[in-house]
Amino acid sequence: MQIILFLFVFLNSYIYSENPKNYDIDISNQSQSKPLPKGSYLIPFSKELDLLWVFDKLPSENCSIIVDPKEFPWVLCDNRFLTAPYYSRIFISEKPINYMVWLDNGSIFAVSRDELAVVDIKKKKDDLNKEIENIKLKFLGMAKLDGMRIFPGENNSLYILGRDIENGLNKLFVLTYKNGNPSFSFITATKEKINSITGDGDIAFVVIGKKVIKLYRPDGKKEYAAKTIFENPDLQINNIHYTSSAGIFYSSSKGIGYIGDNYWLEFFSAENPEFVMKNDSIFVKLSKNQGVIKINGITAFKKKDAVIKIKQQDVKK
């Protein structure tokens, strides 16, 4: 198959793990020898921000990025092929994988034909002499949801979203770990389309259209309350990620931005970017050339938020 050949070529051309310093992008002069695609630009917001290339070009247009707990990127292509460039491994799944999420505790989850499964990529005896290893999916028995999607959260939480076939409502669940064991909890159901979700297992941030809505349980109540915390004045929000150390980040059709308590800023300009957040870094898939970059130092935006808050308090005094 042609895609397999592309994957082997892709492994051999992996640049990020070998000498990433050669692929740094000077954010004060982004027209250097290895520039970003035309129209893509990172605002030089802080000296803490660091931008570098991860992949020149992905093997296929139908590829997505998954980042492991050690912050190394993996690539899922054509819903079947998983490539680990840093580890020089290629996997194939007999069943289609529509979405995949890797939590910080090492658990890997996937959606296959609207069913939730745990992914096993441990090297097996049968795979020792194989160039392409097999992916094993263990289905969890959760009821099917039409168009099921999964989203990573902080504290090893996993958000599950899909449409109930019987009543047509979009249902949202969260998987959290208690004493090392996974536990499912229902959050809410709505007729409105949910674009993306993030959170910490307790509080959730949901994207509906241009709005980011915080779902929380006041005073320890079981039922969730909702509060709109941000609305983009111009564009629909496509994706959202959160960590307590860096804050909330989103993507639109024109770029990636930060949402703070005291300001918001779309700091990276790109056409229809896709991004994954891990710790204090963002991995961005660029739609124009199918390349992937990494932005480090994103806690700078939250630090600025704290400075603004202190200044506002001083003014009130």
Side-chain angles (χ1 to χ4, degrees):
M1 296 174 69
Q2 193 174 29
I3 182 64
I4 295 179
L5 176 61
F6 287 156
L7 291 174
F8 278 111
V9 172
F10 178 63
L11 282 182
N12 291 329
S13 64
Y14 180 50
I15 59 177
Y16 171 57
S17 64
E18 294 178 357
N19 193 4
K21 286 296 180 184
N22 289 344
Y23 295 88
D24 276 344
I25 302 170
D26 183 357
I27 63 175
S28 63
N29 178 21
Q30 294 171 39
S31 60
Q32 58 157 30
S33 59
K34 192 173 181 60
L36 292 167
K38 187 176 180 180
S40 297
Y41 186 79
L42 177 67
I43 294 174
F45 178 84
S46 167
K47 292 181 179 180
E48 293 182 39
L49 292 181
D50 177 40
L51 188 65
L52 57 89
W53 282 99
V54 179
F55 304 124
D56 279 331
K57 187 175 182 179
L58 295 172
S60 161
E61 289 186 3
N62 187 24
C63 289
S64 57
I65 302 298
I66 303 103
V67 183
D68 69 23
K70 295 182 179 179
E71 223 171 281
F72 289 114
W74 296 50
V75 181
L76 177 66
C77 292
D78 295 349
N79 304 112
R80 289 188 66 201
F81 301 96
L82 181 64
T83 309
Y86 179 78
Y87 305 99
S88 298
R89 297 172 72 184
I90 297 177
F91 302 82
I92 187 171
S93 175
E94 292 183 1
K95 298 181 183 293
I97 297 176
N98 307 105
Y99 300 94
M100 183 179 287
V101 166
W102 202 322
L103 302 182
D104 289 337
N105 64 2
S107 299
I108 311 172
F109 293 90
V111 173
S112 177
R113 296 195 178 105
D114 295 334
E115 287 190 85
L116 183 63
V118 174
V119 179
D120 181 4
I121 57 168
K122 293 178 182 177
K123 193 176 283 289
K124 305 167 186 65
K125 290 182 179 180
D126 294 343
D127 292 330
L128 290 178
N129 298 318
K130 290 182 180 179
E131 291 184 322
I132 300 177
E133 304 170 51
N134 293 311
I135 293 175
K136 184 178 179 181
L137 298 181
K138 180 182 178 182
F139 292 94
L140 297 179
M142 182 179 181
K144 280 189 176 184
L145 293 171
D146 186 37
M148 181 186 284
R149 290 181 288 160
I150 52 177
F151 305 85
E154 198 173 40
N155 300 324
N156 296 308
S157 58
L158 180 78
Y159 291 92
I160 304 130
L161 172 68
R163 188 176 67 88
D164 189 309
I165 299 172
E166 294 183 1
N167 59 27
L169 294 177
N170 295 308
K171 287 189 171 182
L172 175 58
F173 297 84
V174 63
L175 179 150
T176 55
Y177 282 83
K178 296 178 181 178
N179 300 320
N181 298 314
S183 174
F184 292 94
S185 300
F186 173 73
I187 296 179
T188 191
T190 178
K191 292 181 180 179
E192 296 186 83
K193 180 185 176 184
I194 298 175
N195 296 342
S196 183
I197 313 144
T198 187
D200 62 6
D202 186 25
I203 295 171
F205 302 99
V206 174
V207 173
I208 297 178
K210 298 178 181 179
K211 296 180 179 180
V212 176
I213 300 169
K214 178 180 178 180
L215 300 179
Y216 63 101
R217 288 176 288 197
D219 302 322
K221 294 181 180 179
K222 290 185 177 181
E223 294 77 18
Y224 282 82
K227 177 184 178 182
T228 298
I229 62 169
F230 174 73
E231 182 170 3
N232 192 303
D234 302 311
L235 300 170
Q236 175 176 283
I237 298 172
N238 298 326
N239 198 3
I240 190 170
H241 287 280
Y242 163 83
T243 66
S244 57
S245 59
I248 302 172
F249 291 78
Y250 73 91
S251 65
S252 69
S253 61
K254 291 188 176 180
I256 295 174
Y258 167 77
I259 302 170
D261 294 331
N262 302 288
Y263 80 103
W264 70 280
L265 175 68
E266 197 153 292
F267 59 89
F268 182 71
S269 176
E271 184 179 321
N272 295 313
E274 298 176 20
F275 81 105
V276 178
M277 192 167 163
K278 181 65 72 172
N279 300 323
D280 300 334
S281 300
I282 287 176
F283 290 79
V284 185
K285 176 186 172 183
L286 303 170
S287 62
K288 278 197 172 182
N289 72 339
Q290 298 299 308
V292 176
I293 62 168
K294 182 183 180 186
I295 304 173
N296 295 316
I298 58 173
T299 54
F301 298 102
K302 190 169 184 178
K303 291 176 183 177
K304 178 68 173 179
D305 211 359
V307 171
I308 293 173
K309 183 178 180 180
I310 292 170
K311 288 182 178 180
Q312 288 176 343
Q313 290 172 343
D314 289 341
V315 169
K316 290 179 180 179
K317 290 178 183 179

